[in-house]
Amino acid sequence: MRVKNSLINISAGLGNQVIITLLSFFSRTVFIYSLGIEYLGLNGLLTNVLGMLTLVEAGFGASIMYSLYKPVADNDQKKISALMNLYKRVYLVIAFVVLALGLLLLPFLSFIIKDINIENVTLIYLIFLLNTVLPYLYVHNSSFLNVCQKNYIVTGFYTVSAIISTLLKILILHYTQNYLLFLGIESVITFVTSVSLALVVNRMYPFLKSKSSQRIDKDTSDHIIKNVKAIILQNIGVFLIFGTDNIIISSFVSVAAVGLYSNYHMLIEIFRTFTYQIFNNLYHSVGNLVANERKEKVYQIFKVTMFLNFWLYSFFSIIMFILIEPFISLWIGSEYLLGTGVLIVLIILFYERGMRNSITTVKTTAGIFHEDRFAPLIQACINLFFSILLVKHLGLIGVFIGTLISTVLVPFWTTPYLVYRRFFKISIWKYYKSYTFFTLIAIAAFFLTYTLSSFIKADTFLMLALKGIVCFIVPNALYIILFRKSEEYIYLSNILKGLFYKLSRKIKGNVKNSQISQRLDV
């Protein structure tokens, strides 16, 4: 059942991502040509600034979701109801706190946003703030569906929402070039989607509507409080690591540079989100696995997910390094390029962060929050020090080198250590042995693919597509040849074979029923 739910959720997620990706390219193109690079930079900068406010939430959601895995697995409706009522109350308070803090930031906008020729910046900020606050009022509904491994329902709602929102925003940009209206439509669509999803959840799980008289037991509440404290520290660190790039670029380079980087960021996030559709849906399956199975079983599945992690992130890293620059040149022009050096560092960051997905999933679903609560803060201090130091001497690339240095010095070591020594209770060097082996294979695949694809000059979209076909075939063919006899490959291929077998039987059954129906009609 866990595998079936994961496959359904992954299929829904990938389908959603294909649709959103196509729409986002069209929307970004219209945005750039309608409003220009400054608006694009402002969009990215305000997203980062308001990202600071989400630190108010840090810890509550993840901790309560972790506490839900066991009662959901046991179908303990009273405890589920008690936890969900707590979840709802906490997020209502968080919404008001985020709103208040957002309003307090207003006087400081001029210190963050400099040298920009855009009107109504304050009003734009307030709409961004509203779009940040609204989801908190209903987030507990989608989170509960995720814990129940029904992510596909959430995905379906947000796919429809994104399609409607993006199409309306494209029309607004094309016909009015009104940025305020562009932002306002997102507020309306977000509210309608959240309310609709809440109604569906209440219909599916009517017991959630009742106010539970059961109090959360002391062990559970103490564990939640302990985890919340740890996750708050972690999330503050995570924001200072990943959420301050645009602020540093805006302060030390320019808002326009934020706009240029945002194109690279968007393309990289598209690939990252594709992989997240797989691993985020596996996340809740692993949580269910941790709650019900022995550690040996969890370790076996972890090795499979790490192998899948390597395959996807190395494959996407190769594609991005070879195709991003020619794609941007053809899409919006070579003047929007940042340079190969910046791209190399961004791809290394993408690969390293992605390769930690499987180990981080086990860490989070096993409830390991407290032990490394200070690690992200230490990483954040290292990141800010080196990013600010290097941006003064190297420019834009210095910001990302600073992030890379902090990543290699802290989470690259701490996360595997905690999972292997505290949870699996086996030697950590098994992890680094696998990691090194996979990375060497990835480097070999890159050089082979880069060499073969270099014979194709991507000066048109057709030639870019041909180059892309080479990038698709070469690394995947190499991986199949090298890993076809490994346990992890066989495990994944058996799942896919079983899925295709069931799908083919269903198609044949539908065809047969259709033929019988036609005969009866005759």
Side-chain angles (χ1 to χ4, degrees):
M1 182 58 72
R2 278 191 293 262
V3 172
K4 180 181 178 182
N5 287 335
S6 295
L7 289 172
I8 292 172
N9 292 328
I10 289 168
S11 299
L14 291 176
N16 164 71
Q17 191 57 34
V18 170
I19 295 169
I20 300 305
T21 298
L22 293 173
L23 287 173
S24 65
F25 273 120
F26 190 33
S27 176
R28 175 63 64 105
T29 304
V30 175
F31 190 106
I32 291 171
Y33 286 111
S34 299
L35 298 176
I37 198 69
E38 276 199 330
Y39 274 96
L40 195 61
L42 180 65
N43 207 68
L45 181 59
L46 289 182
T47 300
N48 265 178
V49 170
L50 289 167
M52 289 189 294
L53 302 182
T54 62
L55 296 175
V56 173
E57 179 271 342
F60 292 101
S63 184
I64 295 174
M65 281 178 65
Y66 167 71
S67 300
L68 277 168
Y69 283 121
K70 185 64 175 173
V72 166
D74 297 339
N75 195 29
D76 186 348
Q77 294 188 2
K78 289 184 178 179
K79 189 167 185 178
I80 292 170
S81 185
L83 285 167
M84 287 299 292
N85 283 330
L86 171 64
Y87 203 168
K88 184 177 180 180
R89 291 195 302 272
V90 165
Y91 270 84
L92 186 61
V93 173
I94 286 171
F96 284 109
V97 172
V98 169
L99 180 62
L101 290 175
L103 294 174
L104 288 174
L105 273 178
L106 267 175
F108 302 98
L109 280 183
S110 58
F111 295 100
I112 302 170
I113 303 170
K114 301 176 182 177
D115 303 322
I116 193 168
N117 297 313
I118 295 177
E119 297 179 352
N120 300 313
V121 171
T122 300
L123 184 55
I124 290 170
Y125 172 80
L126 290 173
I127 298 175
F128 261 92
L129 178 60
L130 179 64
N131 291 342
T132 302
V133 170
L134 279 176
Y136 286 124
L137 301 177
Y138 300 96
V139 71
H140 58 285
N141 295 296
S142 58
S143 296
F144 182 67
L145 286 176
N146 290 338
V147 172
C148 295
Q149 294 184 263
K150 297 188 183 296
N151 319 45
Y152 58 89
I153 297 174
V154 180
T155 301
F157 267 88
Y158 284 107
T159 300
V160 174
S161 167
I163 292 171
I164 295 171
S165 175
T166 305
L167 290 176
L168 287 174
K169 287 191 286 188
I170 287 171
L171 290 173
I172 288 167
L173 285 175
H174 182 70
Y175 289 107
T176 71
Q177 290 82 49
N178 190 319
Y179 186 53
L180 292 172
L181 194 57
F182 172 89
L183 295 174
I185 199 68
E186 189 169 335
S187 302
V188 175
I189 298 295
T190 299
F191 179 74
V192 172
T193 304
S194 299
V195 171
S196 302
L197 188 58
L199 293 173
V200 169
V201 172
N202 288 333
R203 184 174 297 177
M204 291 177 65
Y205 304 98
F207 68 88
L208 292 177
K209 290 187 291 183
S210 61
K211 292 188 177 180
S212 175
S213 58
Q214 178 175 327
R215 297 178 65 85
I216 298 172
D217 60 272
K218 191 174 186 304
D219 286 344
T220 302
S221 60
D222 288 347
H223 204 61
I224 289 174
I225 292 169
K226 180 182 177 182
N227 286 340
V228 164
K229 289 177 181 178
I231 300 172
I232 284 174
L233 292 174
Q234 291 178 351
N235 284 5
I236 290 172
V238 168
F239 173 78
L240 293 174
I241 296 160
F242 297 108
T244 55
D245 284 349
N246 283 348
I247 297 173
I248 294 172
I249 294 169
S250 173
S251 301
F252 291 92
V253 186
S254 68
V255 174
V258 176
L260 293 174
Y261 164 60
S262 71
N263 292 322
Y264 284 75
H265 180 73
M266 182 196 74
L267 294 171
I268 291 171
E269 285 303 306
I270 286 171
F271 285 96
R272 196 191 309 280
T273 306
F274 265 107
T275 56
Y276 276 2
Q277 292 300 337
I278 296 173
F279 288 102
N280 280 2
N281 286 304
L282 288 176
Y283 174 96
H284 301 290
S285 296
V286 174
N288 185 271
L289 193 71
V290 170
N292 291 284
E293 300 285 357
R294 295 177 295 108
K295 291 181 181 179
E296 291 78 9
K297 176 68 173 177
V298 179
Y299 182 63
Q300 288 177 352
I301 299 303
F302 162 73
K303 288 196 296 182
V304 174
T305 60
M306 185 177 180
F307 173 68
L308 181 61
N309 219 42
F310 146 73
W311 192 308
L312 291 175
Y313 275 93
S314 61
F315 168 57
F316 285 146
S317 295
I318 291 167
I319 282 183
M320 285 192 290
F321 183 81
I322 295 173
L323 299 183
I324 276 184
E325 288 191 331
F327 175 79
I328 290 177
S329 296
L330 290 170
W331 174 37
I332 48 179
S334 57
E335 65 271 21
Y336 286 88
L337 295 177
L338 288 175
T340 304
V342 172
L343 179 61
I344 289 172
V345 180
L346 290 175
I347 296 300
I348 293 172
L349 283 168
F350 170 83
Y351 176 79
E352 192 286 326
R353 185 179 172 189
M355 280 296 285
R356 276 187 285 119
N357 259 357
S358 52
I359 198 81
T360 303
T361 296
V362 176
K363 174 183 173 294
T364 306
T365 53
I368 304 174
F369 302 117
H370 186 73
E371 290 83 348
D372 67 339
R373 58 195 181 281
F374 296 114
L377 288 177
I378 295 170
Q379 184 188 355
C381 292
I382 296 170
N383 174 58
L384 289 174
F385 172 78
F386 280 105
S387 292
I388 293 172
L389 176 68
L390 294 175
V391 74
K392 293 177 179 178
H393 295 89
L394 303 176
L396 186 62
I397 193 174
V399 178
F400 307 118
I401 292 176
T403 302
L404 181 59
I405 292 171
S406 68
T407 299
V408 172
L409 290 178
V410 184
F412 182 76
W413 302 100
T414 56
T415 303
Y417 174 82
L418 288 170
V419 172
Y420 270 70
R421 298 298 289 271
R422 301 292 179 88
F423 184 72
F424 291 138
K425 299 187 185 303
I426 57 178
S427 173
I428 190 176
W429 296 113
K430 288 188 176 182
Y431 172 79
Y432 290 114
K433 182 179 178 182
S434 297
Y435 192 104
T436 303
F437 174 69
F438 285 145
T439 302
L440 290 174
I441 296 295
I443 291 170
F446 163 73
F447 280 112
L448 180 61
T449 308
Y450 183 81
T451 302
L452 293 175
S453 65
S454 64
F455 292 104
I456 302 173
K457 186 178 180 181
D459 51 1
T460 66
F461 278 110
L462 177 60
M463 297 306 291
L464 183 68
L466 290 174
K467 201 177 186 78
I469 291 171
V470 174
C471 293
F472 178 83
I473 292 173
V474 175
N476 285 309
L478 180 63
Y479 293 163
I480 290 171
I481 292 169
L482 292 176
F483 296 107
R484 68 188 186 282
K485 293 183 179 180
S486 70
E487 292 180 7
E488 293 81 8
Y489 180 86
I490 293 169
Y491 181 92
L492 289 170
S493 63
N494 285 338
I495 290 176
L496 290 175
K497 286 176 185 176
L499 180 65
F500 286 125
Y501 175 71
K502 290 178 181 177
L503 186 63
S504 63
R505 284 193 65 182
K506 189 172 183 179
I507 292 171
K508 288 178 182 177
N510 289 338
V511 171
K512 188 175 181 180
N513 290 336
S514 176
Q515 291 172 343
I516 293 172
S517 177
Q518 288 175 1
R519 289 173 192 155
L520 290 173
D521 289 340
V522 174

